[in-house]
């Protein structure tokens, strides 16, 4: 059964001109820039956006190609943005959840929140040689890494190893094989964020 609010949303007429304007503004384009990209006259775009004319099929095709969108994007309303949920988690120094491995000592952060879009953790890099790993580390997602203290060597499957010092950071595809070793006298410490 469709609720009243869903029925109302389903029959709400599409304001194509407003939708064209929303898409153009989301792409940070002026009318003039959109005109150049689509091949439609600036005045034509303005009339479409102000609901003074309905675009022809040719105009719709030019809009779709010029703005780099799909036809369904033009004819469907964007999903409503959710209001802030107010989620927050604080992890005090040294109070993260420990997760040691043979090469790393992870301290998982923000562990009280479920369904996170990213997973932050502080890691002490214990490995001292690439041979400490049985194979590349790889998993879904992307990772950001910031060296908090010490010096590391970052090995990645498709690039030459790179030395990173305190304050250096990197962002990479986590499905690409990767591994870290400490180069400093004391084990290096990094902040890792996986998404």
């Amino acid at each position: 059964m469709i609720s009243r609010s869903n029925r109302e949303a389903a029959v709400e007429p599409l304001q194509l001109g407003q939708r064209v304007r929303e898409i153009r503004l989301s792409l940070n384009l002026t009318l003039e820039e959109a005109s150049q990209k689509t091949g439609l006259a600036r005045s034509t775009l303005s009339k479409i956006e102000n609901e003074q004319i309905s675009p022809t099929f040719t105009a719709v095709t030019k809009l779709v190609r010029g703005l780099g969108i799909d036809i369904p994007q033009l004819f469907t309303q964007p999903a409503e943005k959710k209001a802030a949920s107010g989620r927050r988690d604080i992890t005090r120094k040294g109070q993260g959840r420990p997760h040691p491995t043979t090469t790393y000592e992870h301290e998982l952060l923000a562990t009280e929140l479920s369904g996170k879009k990213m997973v932050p953790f502080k890691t002490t890099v214990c490995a001292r040689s690439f041979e400490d790993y049985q194979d590349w580390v790889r998993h879904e997602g992307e990772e950001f890494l910031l060296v908090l203290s010490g010096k590391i060597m970052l090995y990645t499957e498709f690039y030459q190893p790179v030395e990173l010092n305190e304050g250096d950071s990197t962002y990479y595809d986590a499905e690409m094989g990767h591994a870290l070793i400490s180069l400093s006298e004391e084990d290096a410490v990094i902040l890792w964020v996986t998404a």
Side-chain angles (χ1 to χ4, degrees):
M1 181 174 163
I2 299 175
S3 71
R4 182 177 176 192
S5 62
N6 285 346
R7 275 198 314 266
E8 288 170 358
V11 297
E12 186 178 311
L14 174 69
Q15 294 177 309
L16 186 59
Q18 181 181 337
R19 186 72 185 116
V20 170
R21 178 182 289 120
E22 287 170 358
I23 292 169
R24 175 177 63 79
L25 293 176
S26 74
L27 297 170
N28 294 317
L29 296 174
T30 64
L31 271 173
E32 186 60 39
E33 291 167 333
S35 171
Q36 291 170 2
K37 286 184 170 289
T38 61
L40 294 170
R42 183 183 184 282
S43 59
T44 302
L45 276 173
S46 178
K47 287 176 183 175
I48 291 171
E49 287 188 2
N50 290 305
E51 306 286 347
Q52 294 172 345
I53 61 170
S54 294
T56 64
F57 180 76
T58 302
V60 167
T61 303
K62 287 181 176 184
L63 282 167
V64 167
R65 287 186 184 146
L67 299 177
I69 60 172
D70 297 324
I71 285 183
Q73 282 179 269
L74 193 58
F75 290 99
T76 56
Q77 294 292 348
E80 288 186 29
K81 292 183 179 177
K82 293 180 183 177
S85 64
R87 295 178 0 128
R88 183 180 95 169
D89 189 359
I90 295 174
T91 306
R92 300 286 182 195
K93 183 178 180 179
Q95 297 299 307
R97 184 180 306 152
H99 182 77
T101 69
T102 55
T103 51
Y104 304 123
E105 289 178 11
H106 299 299
E107 180 185 354
L108 305 178
L109 308 173
T111 57
E112 297 301 312
L113 290 177
S114 62
K116 294 186 291 286
K117 293 183 180 171
M118 57 185 173
V119 179
F121 46 103
K122 191 165 117 180
T123 298
T124 301
V125 182
C126 306
R128 292 294 176 157
S129 165
F130 185 71
E131 284 70 40
D132 291 348
Y133 296 88
Q134 294 180 354
D135 196 0
W136 289 109
V137 177
R138 65 177 85 238
H139 48 86
E140 286 185 5
E142 298 178 325
E143 284 185 331
F144 171 79
L145 164 153
L146 171 67
V147 181
L148 299 176
S149 66
K151 183 189 304 185
I152 63 167
M153 182 70 76
L154 169 65
Y155 292 89
T156 50
E157 191 172 11
F158 306 121
Y159 298 90
Q160 290 296 314
V162 64
E163 189 175 295
L164 298 171
N165 297 295
E166 184 175 323
D168 292 343
S169 65
T170 183
Y171 189 106
Y172 55 90
D173 175 2
E175 292 184 22
M176 169 179 64
H178 56 280
L180 305 178
I181 65 167
S182 276
L183 296 177
S184 46
E185 198 170 309
E186 293 187 12
D187 290 342
V189 177
I190 63 169
L191 172 66
W192 232 329
V193 181
T194 301

